Amino acid sequence: MMEEHPARVAWRALRRAVWAADPPPARPASTRWPALAPYLGPIGLLAVVGLFAATLASENERHLPGLVTIVFAALTVAPLLALPRRPLLAWRLTVVALSVCTFNPPAGAPWPWNPVLVLGSLLVVAVVAARVDRPVLVWVGLITSVPVLTLVDRNNQVGVLALLLTLLVLGDLVRGNRTSRRALAAQTALSEREAERRAVLEERARIAREMHDVVAHHMSMIAVQAETAPYRLADVREPARQEFVAIADAAREALTDMRRLLGVLRSEPTGPQTAPQPGLADLDGMVDGARRAGLPVRLEVDEPLAAVPGPVGLAAYRIVQEGLANAARHAPGGEVRVVVRATAGALTVRIVNTAGSPGSPAGERGSGHGVTGMRERARALGGAFTAGPLDDGGYAVDARLPYEEEGATR
């Protein structure tokens, strides 16, 4: 990239110094000293009134008309009023005051200006030097030097210019220090966020690795054993053969879902993000698989369900999937009824299972994460979820998943 010509840079800096907008204000005093915030306004107003009165008293020694004295006093305190929020405007008013308030100075005065204007001008220059960048600051120093060189006595010019240069340099150092601290704080915050993101990615990769090495291995072994069992065992009847086929299908389907989850955990750019997600249209296949596994399931679905959005359909699919798994685990031999209905602006899902058969073995007790996951899926869509035992020993799961119909208005 080509560097800009110095003349163009200088011209742009001059325009910013003379008539461009002020830089953003520094940190407000109310945030730096919150205890003094209620008193800063009244104190500042009293100070300006006092300086205005002192300026009137000093300007009276010039023996000027009363209106001119008031104008000079207003030009003297006006930069101080604009200084907190508009430092460049305050400096421009200061240059005007230094150029105008020079008529008929008192005899023997070392400066053509009143003391309030001298001290106020030094304060304005110091604040501006700490707020603007270096190219603008150079023009501020040059323009401020003009009334000094033209109106101040030659014996005092060197001292005034040295003081002016000192204020400019100190202000630039303060601005550079503040900019460096802000850049360091921003870099520190960015590093902390990057470290947090890296820690999350490492933890997700570790979880994915553990799932792949442990769970996926066992699921693959289940699928292989279920597929080869009819050939390794003698006199396998057809119902048993079909049950082995159902176990193998369920294991392969679980492996497919696990691979999709592993892809999400590893943040792979392709595959899981574009893979189709199951929905309401896949409920029949899931129920058929549960029937082949020996779970008596009856599915009741209201048609049509085309208006149901994809996220709602996915949540309903996962809730039914977890409900069937819980019924098979905790109530083996019991019958399951799944009802999915689309009402006005909501999809209701109800899963009811009867108590398990008296002679069936009790499934192992889970950790309760399945019910928690179903509840979180429903609440993520702004819906409602209830689950609990029934009086006859069964168990019921009810979920209501709201959605906005096409063409409807809030």
Side-chain angles (χ1 to χ4, degrees), residues 176-241:
N177 183 42
R178 184 171 61 243
T179 303
S180 300
R181 286 190 285 108
R182 288 178 180 174
L184 179 60
Q187 184 63 35
T188 302
L190 181 62
S191 300
E192 292 177 355
R193 289 195 299 268
E194 182 64 24
E196 293 176 358
R197 189 184 70 85
R198 191 182 303 112
V200 171
L201 291 178
E202 290 176 355
E203 181 65 16
R204 290 172 61 176
R206 187 189 66 81
I207 294 174
R209 185 169 57 252
E210 294 293 333
M211 291 180 63
H212 179 270
D213 294 343
V214 179
V215 183
H217 169 73
H218 292 303
M219 293 300 298
S220 299
M221 294 300 298
I222 291 173
V224 172
Q225 290 175 355
E227 289 178 343
T228 60
Y231 304 99
R232 291 184 288 104
L233 301 177
D235 299 331
V236 177
R237 298 182 179 180
E238 187 60 27
R241 186 183 299 274

Short mmCIF file of all heavy atoms in Angstrom, two decimals, residues 176-241:
data_model
loop_
_atom_site.label_atom_id
_atom_site.label_comp_id
_atom_site.label_asym_id
_atom_site.label_seq_id
_atom_site.Cartn_x
_atom_site.Cartn_y
_atom_site.Cartn_z
N GLY A 176 -0.18 9.36 24.34
CA GLY A 176 0.43 8.11 23.91
C GLY A 176 0.37 7.03 24.98
O GLY A 176 0.11 5.86 24.68
N ASN A 177 0.57 7.43 26.23
CA ASN A 177 0.49 6.46 27.33
C ASN A 177 -0.93 5.91 27.47
O ASN A 177 -1.13 4.70 27.65
CB ASN A 177 0.94 7.12 28.63
CG ASN A 177 0.94 6.16 29.79
OD1 ASN A 177 1.36 5.02 29.65
ND2 ASN A 177 0.47 6.61 30.94
N ARG A 178 -1.92 6.80 27.36
CA ARG A 178 -3.31 6.35 27.47
C ARG A 178 -3.67 5.42 26.31
O ARG A 178 -4.34 4.40 26.49
CB ARG A 178 -4.24 7.55 27.52
CG ARG A 178 -5.70 7.16 27.72
CD ARG A 178 -6.57 8.37 27.99
NE ARG A 178 -6.55 9.31 26.88
CZ ARG A 178 -6.08 10.54 26.95
NH1 ARG A 178 -5.56 10.99 28.08
NH2 ARG A 178 -6.11 11.34 25.90
N THR A 179 -3.22 5.77 25.10
CA THR A 179 -3.50 4.91 23.94
C THR A 179 -2.85 3.54 24.10
O THR A 179 -3.45 2.51 23.78
CB THR A 179 -3.01 5.60 22.66
OG1 THR A 179 -3.63 6.89 22.54
CG2 THR A 179 -3.34 4.76 21.45
N SER A 180 -1.62 3.52 24.61
CA SER A 180 -0.93 2.25 24.80
C SER A 180 -1.64 1.39 25.83
O SER A 180 -1.78 0.17 25.65
CB SER A 180 0.52 2.51 25.23
OG SER A 180 1.21 3.25 24.25
N ARG A 181 -2.10 2.01 26.92
CA ARG A 181 -2.81 1.24 27.94
C ARG A 181 -4.11 0.69 27.40
O ARG A 181 -4.49 -0.45 27.72
CB ARG A 181 -3.05 2.11 29.17
CG ARG A 181 -1.79 2.33 30.00
CD ARG A 181 -2.07 2.98 31.34
NE ARG A 181 -2.36 4.40 31.20
CZ ARG A 181 -3.55 4.94 31.36
NH1 ARG A 181 -4.60 4.17 31.63
NH2 ARG A 181 -3.74 6.23 31.22
N ARG A 182 -4.82 1.47 26.60
CA ARG A 182 -6.07 0.97 26.03
C ARG A 182 -5.79 -0.18 25.06
O ARG A 182 -6.52 -1.18 25.04
CB ARG A 182 -6.79 2.10 25.30
CG ARG A 182 -7.41 3.14 26.24
CD ARG A 182 -8.05 4.26 25.43
NE ARG A 182 -8.66 5.26 26.30
CZ ARG A 182 -9.19 6.40 25.88
NH1 ARG A 182 -9.18 6.67 24.57
NH2 ARG A 182 -9.72 7.25 26.72
N ALA A 183 -4.75 -0.03 24.23
CA ALA A 183 -4.41 -1.12 23.31
C ALA A 183 -4.00 -2.37 24.06
O ALA A 183 -4.36 -3.49 23.68
CB ALA A 183 -3.29 -0.66 22.36
N LEU A 184 -3.25 -2.19 25.17
CA LEU A 184 -2.84 -3.34 25.97
C LEU A 184 -4.05 -4.01 26.60
O LEU A 184 -4.14 -5.25 26.64
CB LEU A 184 -1.85 -2.89 27.03
CG LEU A 184 -1.33 -3.99 27.96
CD1 LEU A 184 -0.62 -5.07 27.17
CD2 LEU A 184 -0.41 -3.39 29.02
N ALA A 185 -4.98 -3.20 27.12
CA ALA A 185 -6.18 -3.79 27.72
C ALA A 185 -7.01 -4.54 26.68
O ALA A 185 -7.52 -5.63 26.95
CB ALA A 185 -7.02 -2.68 28.37
N ALA A 186 -7.13 -3.95 25.48
CA ALA A 186 -7.89 -4.64 24.42
C ALA A 186 -7.19 -5.93 24.01
O ALA A 186 -7.85 -6.96 23.80
CB ALA A 186 -8.05 -3.71 23.21
N GLN A 187 -5.86 -5.90 23.91
CA GLN A 187 -5.13 -7.11 23.55
C GLN A 187 -5.24 -8.17 24.64
O GLN A 187 -5.37 -9.37 24.35
CB GLN A 187 -3.66 -6.76 23.29
CG GLN A 187 -2.83 -7.93 22.81
CD GLN A 187 -3.30 -8.45 21.47
OE1 GLN A 187 -3.74 -7.70 20.63
NE2 GLN A 187 -3.22 -9.76 21.28
N THR A 188 -5.22 -7.73 25.89
CA THR A 188 -5.37 -8.68 26.99
C THR A 188 -6.74 -9.33 26.96
O THR A 188 -6.87 -10.55 27.15
CB THR A 188 -5.14 -7.96 28.33
OG1 THR A 188 -3.84 -7.36 28.34
CG2 THR A 188 -5.26 -8.93 29.49
N ALA A 189 -7.78 -8.52 26.75
CA ALA A 189 -9.12 -9.08 26.67
C ALA A 189 -9.25 -10.05 25.50
O ALA A 189 -9.87 -11.11 25.61
CB ALA A 189 -10.15 -7.95 26.55
N LEU A 190 -8.64 -9.67 24.36
CA LEU A 190 -8.68 -10.56 23.19
C LEU A 190 -7.96 -11.87 23.48
O LEU A 190 -8.43 -12.96 23.10
CB LEU A 190 -8.06 -9.86 21.99
CG LEU A 190 -8.04 -10.64 20.67
CD1 LEU A 190 -9.45 -10.96 20.22
CD2 LEU A 190 -7.29 -9.85 19.61
N SER A 191 -6.82 -11.79 24.17
CA SER A 191 -6.07 -13.00 24.51
C SER A 191 -6.88 -13.89 25.46
O SER A 191 -6.87 -15.12 25.33
CB SER A 191 -4.73 -12.62 25.13
OG SER A 191 -3.94 -11.85 24.24
N GLU A 192 -7.57 -13.26 26.42
CA GLU A 192 -8.38 -14.05 27.35
C GLU A 192 -9.52 -14.75 26.62
O GLU A 192 -9.80 -15.92 26.88
CB GLU A 192 -8.91 -13.14 28.46
CG GLU A 192 -7.83 -12.62 29.41
CD GLU A 192 -8.40 -11.67 30.44
OE1 GLU A 192 -9.61 -11.35 30.33
OE2 GLU A 192 -7.65 -11.25 31.33
N ARG A 193 -10.18 -14.02 25.71
CA ARG A 193 -11.26 -14.66 24.95
C ARG A 193 -10.72 -15.79 24.08
O ARG A 193 -11.36 -16.85 23.94
CB ARG A 193 -11.98 -13.62 24.08
CG ARG A 193 -12.82 -12.64 24.87
CD ARG A 193 -13.77 -11.89 23.96
NE ARG A 193 -13.06 -11.12 22.96
CZ ARG A 193 -12.70 -9.84 23.12
NH1 ARG A 193 -12.97 -9.23 24.26
NH2 ARG A 193 -12.08 -9.19 22.16
N GLU A 194 -9.53 -15.58 23.48
CA GLU A 194 -8.95 -16.63 22.65
C GLU A 194 -8.58 -17.84 23.50
O GLU A 194 -8.76 -18.99 23.07
CB GLU A 194 -7.72 -16.08 21.93
CG GLU A 194 -7.06 -17.06 20.98
CD GLU A 194 -7.95 -17.46 19.82
OE1 GLU A 194 -8.88 -16.68 19.49
OE2 GLU A 194 -7.73 -18.54 19.25
N ALA A 195 -8.06 -17.58 24.72
CA ALA A 195 -7.72 -18.70 25.59
C ALA A 195 -8.97 -19.48 26.01
O ALA A 195 -8.97 -20.72 26.07
CB ALA A 195 -6.97 -18.18 26.82
N GLU A 196 -10.05 -18.74 26.31
CA GLU A 196 -11.30 -19.41 26.65
C GLU A 196 -11.83 -20.23 25.48
O GLU A 196 -12.28 -21.37 25.66
CB GLU A 196 -12.33 -18.37 27.09
CG GLU A 196 -11.98 -17.67 28.39
CD GLU A 196 -12.98 -16.58 28.72
OE1 GLU A 196 -13.91 -16.37 27.91
OE2 GLU A 196 -12.83 -15.93 29.77
N ARG A 197 -11.77 -19.65 24.28
CA ARG A 197 -12.25 -20.39 23.11
C ARG A 197 -11.40 -21.63 22.85
O ARG A 197 -11.91 -22.70 22.53
CB ARG A 197 -12.22 -19.47 21.88
CG ARG A 197 -12.89 -20.06 20.65
CD ARG A 197 -12.73 -19.14 19.47
NE ARG A 197 -11.36 -19.10 19.02
CZ ARG A 197 -10.83 -19.97 18.17
NH1 ARG A 197 -11.58 -20.96 17.68
NH2 ARG A 197 -9.57 -19.88 17.80
N ARG A 198 -10.07 -21.49 23.04
CA ARG A 198 -9.20 -22.63 22.84
C ARG A 198 -9.47 -23.72 23.88
O ARG A 198 -9.45 -24.93 23.56
CB ARG A 198 -7.74 -22.19 22.93
CG ARG A 198 -6.75 -23.25 22.47
CD ARG A 198 -5.32 -22.77 22.61
NE ARG A 198 -5.10 -21.53 21.88
CZ ARG A 198 -4.85 -20.38 22.46
NH1 ARG A 198 -4.82 -20.29 23.79
NH2 ARG A 198 -4.64 -19.30 21.75
N ALA A 199 -9.74 -23.30 25.13
CA ALA A 199 -10.04 -24.29 26.16
C ALA A 199 -11.33 -25.03 25.85
O ALA A 199 -11.43 -26.25 26.04
CB ALA A 199 -10.13 -23.60 27.52
N VAL A 200 -12.33 -24.29 25.34
CA VAL A 200 -13.60 -24.94 24.98
C VAL A 200 -13.39 -25.93 23.85
O VAL A 200 -13.89 -27.07 23.87
CB VAL A 200 -14.65 -23.88 24.60
CG1 VAL A 200 -15.89 -24.53 24.01
CG2 VAL A 200 -15.03 -23.06 25.82
N LEU A 201 -12.61 -25.52 22.82
CA LEU A 201 -12.37 -26.42 21.70
C LEU A 201 -11.58 -27.66 22.14
O LEU A 201 -11.86 -28.78 21.69
CB LEU A 201 -11.60 -25.68 20.61
CG LEU A 201 -12.38 -24.57 19.87
CD1 LEU A 201 -11.49 -23.89 18.85
CD2 LEU A 201 -13.63 -25.13 19.20
N GLU A 202 -10.61 -27.46 23.04
CA GLU A 202 -9.85 -28.61 23.52
C GLU A 202 -10.74 -29.56 24.31
O GLU A 202 -10.62 -30.79 24.19
CB GLU A 202 -8.68 -28.13 24.38
CG GLU A 202 -7.60 -27.42 23.59
CD GLU A 202 -6.51 -26.87 24.47
OE1 GLU A 202 -6.66 -26.97 25.72
OE2 GLU A 202 -5.51 -26.33 23.95
N GLU A 203 -11.63 -28.99 25.14
CA GLU A 203 -12.52 -29.86 25.91
C GLU A 203 -13.49 -30.60 24.99
O GLU A 203 -13.77 -31.80 25.20
CB GLU A 203 -13.29 -29.02 26.93
CG GLU A 203 -14.23 -29.80 27.82
CD GLU A 203 -13.51 -30.77 28.74
OE1 GLU A 203 -12.27 -30.64 28.89
OE2 GLU A 203 -14.18 -31.67 29.28
N ARG A 204 -14.00 -29.90 23.98
CA ARG A 204 -14.89 -30.58 23.04
C ARG A 204 -14.16 -31.67 22.28
O ARG A 204 -14.70 -32.77 22.05
CB ARG A 204 -15.47 -29.55 22.06
CG ARG A 204 -16.45 -28.60 22.71
CD ARG A 204 -16.86 -27.48 21.78
NE ARG A 204 -17.51 -27.96 20.58
CZ ARG A 204 -18.03 -27.17 19.64
NH1 ARG A 204 -17.95 -25.87 19.79
NH2 ARG A 204 -18.61 -27.68 18.58
N ALA A 205 -12.91 -31.41 21.89
CA ALA A 205 -12.13 -32.44 21.20
C ALA A 205 -11.87 -33.63 22.12
O ALA A 205 -11.90 -34.79 21.68
CB ALA A 205 -10.81 -31.85 20.70
N ARG A 206 -11.61 -33.35 23.40
CA ARG A 206 -11.38 -34.45 24.34
C ARG A 206 -12.64 -35.30 24.51
O ARG A 206 -12.58 -36.55 24.51
CB ARG A 206 -10.95 -33.90 25.69
CG ARG A 206 -10.53 -34.97 26.69
CD ARG A 206 -10.31 -34.37 28.06
NE ARG A 206 -11.56 -33.88 28.63
CZ ARG A 206 -12.46 -34.65 29.23
NH1 ARG A 206 -12.26 -35.96 29.32
NH2 ARG A 206 -13.56 -34.13 29.71
N ILE A 207 -13.80 -34.62 24.63
CA ILE A 207 -15.06 -35.37 24.76
C ILE A 207 -15.32 -36.19 23.51
O ILE A 207 -15.72 -37.36 23.58
CB ILE A 207 -16.20 -34.38 25.03
CG1 ILE A 207 -16.03 -33.71 26.39
CG2 ILE A 207 -17.55 -35.11 24.99
CD1 ILE A 207 -17.03 -32.62 26.66
N ALA A 208 -15.08 -35.59 22.35
CA ALA A 208 -15.29 -36.33 21.09
C ALA A 208 -14.36 -37.52 21.01
O ALA A 208 -14.75 -38.61 20.56
CB ALA A 208 -15.06 -35.40 19.90
N ARG A 209 -13.12 -37.36 21.44
CA ARG A 209 -12.18 -38.47 21.40
C ARG A 209 -12.60 -39.60 22.33
O ARG A 209 -12.53 -40.78 21.97
CB ARG A 209 -10.79 -37.95 21.77
CG ARG A 209 -9.69 -38.99 21.64
CD ARG A 209 -8.32 -38.35 21.77
NE ARG A 209 -8.17 -37.61 23.01
CZ ARG A 209 -8.13 -36.29 23.11
NH1 ARG A 209 -8.26 -35.55 22.02
NH2 ARG A 209 -7.96 -35.70 24.27
N GLU A 210 -13.05 -39.23 23.53
CA GLU A 210 -13.49 -40.25 24.48
C GLU A 210 -14.73 -41.00 23.95
O GLU A 210 -14.82 -42.22 24.05
CB GLU A 210 -13.80 -39.62 25.83
CG GLU A 210 -12.58 -39.05 26.54
CD GLU A 210 -11.62 -40.13 26.97
OE1 GLU A 210 -12.07 -41.27 27.19
OE2 GLU A 210 -10.41 -39.85 27.05
N MET A 211 -15.66 -40.24 23.37
CA MET A 211 -16.86 -40.87 22.83
C MET A 211 -16.50 -41.81 21.68
O MET A 211 -17.04 -42.91 21.56
CB MET A 211 -17.86 -39.81 22.37
CG MET A 211 -18.48 -39.02 23.50
SD MET A 211 -19.66 -37.80 22.89
CE MET A 211 -20.89 -38.88 22.15
N HIS A 212 -15.58 -41.35 20.84
CA HIS A 212 -15.19 -42.18 19.70
C HIS A 212 -14.47 -43.45 20.15
O HIS A 212 -14.72 -44.54 19.64
CB HIS A 212 -14.30 -41.38 18.75
CG HIS A 212 -13.83 -42.16 17.56
ND1 HIS A 212 -12.65 -42.89 17.59
CD2 HIS A 212 -14.38 -42.35 16.34
CE1 HIS A 212 -12.50 -43.49 16.42
NE2 HIS A 212 -13.51 -43.17 15.63
N ASP A 213 -13.56 -43.30 21.13
CA ASP A 213 -12.75 -44.44 21.54
C ASP A 213 -13.51 -45.45 22.37
O ASP A 213 -13.20 -46.64 22.35
CB ASP A 213 -11.53 -43.95 22.34
CG ASP A 213 -10.58 -43.14 21.47
OD1 ASP A 213 -10.70 -43.23 20.23
OD2 ASP A 213 -9.75 -42.40 22.02
N VAL A 214 -14.51 -45.00 23.13
CA VAL A 214 -15.20 -45.89 24.07
C VAL A 214 -16.58 -46.27 23.54
O VAL A 214 -16.85 -47.44 23.22
CB VAL A 214 -15.30 -45.23 25.46
CG1 VAL A 214 -16.04 -46.15 26.42
CG2 VAL A 214 -13.92 -44.91 26.00
N VAL A 215 -17.45 -45.27 23.41
CA VAL A 215 -18.84 -45.57 23.07
C VAL A 215 -18.96 -46.11 21.65
O VAL A 215 -19.64 -47.12 21.40
CB VAL A 215 -19.72 -44.32 23.27
CG1 VAL A 215 -21.17 -44.64 22.99
CG2 VAL A 215 -19.55 -43.77 24.67
N ALA A 216 -18.31 -45.45 20.71
CA ALA A 216 -18.43 -45.88 19.32
C ALA A 216 -17.87 -47.29 19.14
O ALA A 216 -18.41 -48.09 18.36
CB ALA A 216 -17.69 -44.90 18.40
N HIS A 217 -16.82 -47.61 19.86
CA HIS A 217 -16.26 -48.96 19.75
C HIS A 217 -17.27 -50.00 20.20
O HIS A 217 -17.51 -51.01 19.52
CB HIS A 217 -14.98 -49.05 20.59
CG HIS A 217 -14.47 -50.44 20.75
ND1 HIS A 217 -13.86 -51.13 19.72
CD2 HIS A 217 -14.50 -51.29 21.82
CE1 HIS A 217 -13.52 -52.33 20.15
NE2 HIS A 217 -13.90 -52.46 21.42
N HIS A 218 -17.89 -49.78 21.36
CA HIS A 218 -18.85 -50.75 21.88
C HIS A 218 -20.09 -50.85 20.99
O HIS A 218 -20.62 -51.96 20.78
CB HIS A 218 -19.26 -50.37 23.30
CG HIS A 218 -18.13 -50.53 24.29
ND1 HIS A 218 -17.47 -51.72 24.49
CD2 HIS A 218 -17.55 -49.65 25.13
CE1 HIS A 218 -16.53 -51.57 25.41
NE2 HIS A 218 -16.56 -50.31 25.82
N MET A 219 -20.54 -49.72 20.45
CA MET A 219 -21.70 -49.76 19.56
C MET A 219 -21.37 -50.54 18.28
O MET A 219 -22.20 -51.29 17.76
CB MET A 219 -22.15 -48.34 19.22
CG MET A 219 -22.70 -47.56 20.40
SD MET A 219 -24.15 -48.33 21.15
CE MET A 219 -25.30 -48.29 19.78
N SER A 220 -20.16 -50.35 17.77
CA SER A 220 -19.77 -51.10 16.59
C SER A 220 -19.73 -52.60 16.88
O SER A 220 -20.16 -53.42 16.05
CB SER A 220 -18.39 -50.63 16.11
OG SER A 220 -18.44 -49.25 15.76
N MET A 221 -19.23 -52.97 18.04
CA MET A 221 -19.19 -54.38 18.41
C MET A 221 -20.60 -54.95 18.54
O MET A 221 -20.87 -56.10 18.13
CB MET A 221 -18.42 -54.56 19.72
CG MET A 221 -16.94 -54.22 19.61
SD MET A 221 -16.07 -55.24 18.40
CE MET A 221 -16.31 -56.87 19.10
N ILE A 222 -21.53 -54.16 19.10
CA ILE A 222 -22.91 -54.62 19.22
C ILE A 222 -23.50 -54.88 17.84
O ILE A 222 -24.17 -55.90 17.59
CB ILE A 222 -23.74 -53.60 20.01
CG1 ILE A 222 -23.30 -53.57 21.47
CG2 ILE A 222 -25.23 -53.92 19.92
CD1 ILE A 222 -23.96 -52.46 22.28
N ALA A 223 -23.28 -53.94 16.92
CA ALA A 223 -23.82 -54.10 15.57
C ALA A 223 -23.24 -55.34 14.88
O ALA A 223 -23.96 -56.12 14.24
CB ALA A 223 -23.53 -52.84 14.74
N VAL A 224 -21.92 -55.53 15.01
CA VAL A 224 -21.29 -56.68 14.36
C VAL A 224 -21.79 -57.99 14.97
O VAL A 224 -22.12 -58.95 14.26
CB VAL A 224 -19.76 -56.56 14.47
CG1 VAL A 224 -19.09 -57.84 13.99
CG2 VAL A 224 -19.27 -55.37 13.66
N GLN A 225 -21.87 -58.03 16.30
CA GLN A 225 -22.32 -59.27 16.95
C GLN A 225 -23.77 -59.58 16.60
O GLN A 225 -24.14 -60.74 16.41
CB GLN A 225 -22.13 -59.14 18.46
CG GLN A 225 -20.68 -59.15 18.90
CD GLN A 225 -20.52 -58.90 20.38
OE1 GLN A 225 -21.50 -58.64 21.07
NE2 GLN A 225 -19.29 -58.98 20.86
N ALA A 226 -24.62 -58.53 16.54
CA ALA A 226 -26.01 -58.77 16.20
C ALA A 226 -26.17 -59.27 14.77
O ALA A 226 -27.04 -60.09 14.47
CB ALA A 226 -26.82 -57.48 16.42
N GLU A 227 -25.34 -58.76 13.87
CA GLU A 227 -25.43 -59.20 12.47
C GLU A 227 -24.91 -60.63 12.28
O GLU A 227 -25.42 -61.37 11.44
CB GLU A 227 -24.66 -58.23 11.58
CG GLU A 227 -25.32 -56.87 11.43
CD GLU A 227 -24.49 -55.93 10.59
OE1 GLU A 227 -23.28 -56.21 10.41
OE2 GLU A 227 -25.02 -54.92 10.13
N THR A 228 -23.89 -61.01 13.04
CA THR A 228 -23.28 -62.33 12.84
C THR A 228 -23.86 -63.41 13.74
O THR A 228 -23.56 -64.59 13.54
CB THR A 228 -21.77 -62.24 13.08
OG1 THR A 228 -21.53 -61.79 14.43
CG2 THR A 228 -21.13 -61.25 12.11
N ALA A 229 -24.67 -63.02 14.73
CA ALA A 229 -25.21 -64.01 15.67
C ALA A 229 -26.03 -65.08 14.97
O ALA A 229 -25.90 -66.28 15.29
CB ALA A 229 -26.03 -63.32 16.75
N PRO A 230 -26.94 -64.75 14.02
CA PRO A 230 -27.72 -65.82 13.36
C PRO A 230 -26.85 -66.85 12.64
O PRO A 230 -27.25 -68.01 12.49
CB PRO A 230 -28.60 -65.05 12.38
CG PRO A 230 -28.70 -63.69 12.94
CD PRO A 230 -27.38 -63.42 13.57
N TYR A 231 -25.65 -66.45 12.20
CA TYR A 231 -24.79 -67.39 11.49
C TYR A 231 -23.91 -68.19 12.45
O TYR A 231 -23.41 -69.27 12.10
CB TYR A 231 -23.91 -66.62 10.50
CG TYR A 231 -24.71 -65.79 9.54
CD1 TYR A 231 -24.88 -64.43 9.75
CD2 TYR A 231 -25.32 -66.37 8.43
CE1 TYR A 231 -25.62 -63.65 8.88
CE2 TYR A 231 -26.07 -65.60 7.55
CZ TYR A 231 -26.22 -64.25 7.79
OH TYR A 231 -26.95 -63.47 6.93
N ARG A 232 -23.70 -67.66 13.65
CA ARG A 232 -22.87 -68.36 14.62
C ARG A 232 -23.66 -69.29 15.52
O ARG A 232 -23.09 -70.18 16.15
CB ARG A 232 -22.11 -67.33 15.47
CG ARG A 232 -21.05 -66.56 14.69
CD ARG A 232 -20.26 -65.62 15.58
NE ARG A 232 -21.04 -64.45 16.01
CZ ARG A 232 -21.56 -64.29 17.21
NH1 ARG A 232 -21.41 -65.23 18.12
NH2 ARG A 232 -22.25 -63.21 17.50
N LEU A 233 -24.97 -69.03 15.65
CA LEU A 233 -25.82 -69.84 16.52
C LEU A 233 -26.64 -70.81 15.68
O LEU A 233 -27.16 -70.44 14.63
CB LEU A 233 -26.73 -68.94 17.35
CG LEU A 233 -26.01 -67.92 18.26
CD1 LEU A 233 -27.03 -67.06 18.97
CD2 LEU A 233 -25.11 -68.62 19.26
N ALA A 234 -26.80 -71.98 16.18
CA ALA A 234 -27.57 -73.00 15.44
C ALA A 234 -29.05 -72.88 15.79
O ALA A 234 -29.43 -72.48 16.89
CB ALA A 234 -27.06 -74.41 15.79
N ASP A 235 -29.86 -73.24 14.82
CA ASP A 235 -31.32 -73.31 15.00
C ASP A 235 -31.89 -71.96 15.49
O ASP A 235 -32.64 -71.88 16.46
CB ASP A 235 -31.70 -74.40 16.00
CG ASP A 235 -31.26 -75.78 15.52
OD1 ASP A 235 -31.18 -75.97 14.29
OD2 ASP A 235 -30.97 -76.63 16.39
N VAL A 236 -31.51 -70.88 14.83
CA VAL A 236 -32.07 -69.56 15.16
C VAL A 236 -33.39 -69.42 14.43
O VAL A 236 -33.43 -69.50 13.20
CB VAL A 236 -31.09 -68.44 14.77
CG1 VAL A 236 -31.73 -67.09 15.06
CG2 VAL A 236 -29.78 -68.60 15.53
N ARG A 237 -34.45 -69.22 15.16
CA ARG A 237 -35.77 -69.06 14.55
C ARG A 237 -35.92 -67.66 13.95
O ARG A 237 -35.17 -66.74 14.27
CB ARG A 237 -36.85 -69.32 15.59
CG ARG A 237 -36.81 -70.75 16.15
CD ARG A 237 -37.93 -70.96 17.14
NE ARG A 237 -37.90 -72.34 17.65
CZ ARG A 237 -38.77 -72.82 18.54
NH1 ARG A 237 -39.73 -72.03 19.01
NH2 ARG A 237 -38.66 -74.09 18.97
N GLU A 238 -36.95 -67.55 13.12
CA GLU A 238 -37.16 -66.30 12.40
C GLU A 238 -37.43 -65.11 13.33
O GLU A 238 -36.89 -64.02 13.10
CB GLU A 238 -38.31 -66.46 11.40
CG GLU A 238 -38.50 -65.26 10.48
CD GLU A 238 -37.25 -64.99 9.65
OE1 GLU A 238 -36.48 -65.93 9.37
OE2 GLU A 238 -37.05 -63.82 9.27
N PRO A 239 -38.28 -65.24 14.39
CA PRO A 239 -38.45 -64.09 15.29
C PRO A 239 -37.14 -63.63 15.91
O PRO A 239 -36.88 -62.42 16.03
CB PRO A 239 -39.44 -64.61 16.33
CG PRO A 239 -40.18 -65.71 15.63
CD PRO A 239 -39.18 -66.35 14.73
N ALA A 240 -36.32 -64.58 16.35
CA ALA A 240 -35.03 -64.21 16.93
C ALA A 240 -34.14 -63.55 15.89
O ALA A 240 -33.40 -62.59 16.18
CB ALA A 240 -34.35 -65.43 17.54
N ARG A 241 -34.18 -64.07 14.65
CA ARG A 241 -33.37 -63.48 13.59
C ARG A 241 -33.78 -62.02 13.35
O ARG A 241 -32.93 -61.14 13.20
CB ARG A 241 -33.52 -64.30 12.31
CG ARG A 241 -32.59 -63.86 11.18
CD ARG A 241 -32.88 -64.69 9.93
NE ARG A 241 -32.64 -66.11 10.19
CZ ARG A 241 -31.45 -66.70 10.08
NH1 ARG A 241 -30.39 -65.97 9.73
NH2 ARG A 241 -31.31 -67.99 10.31
#
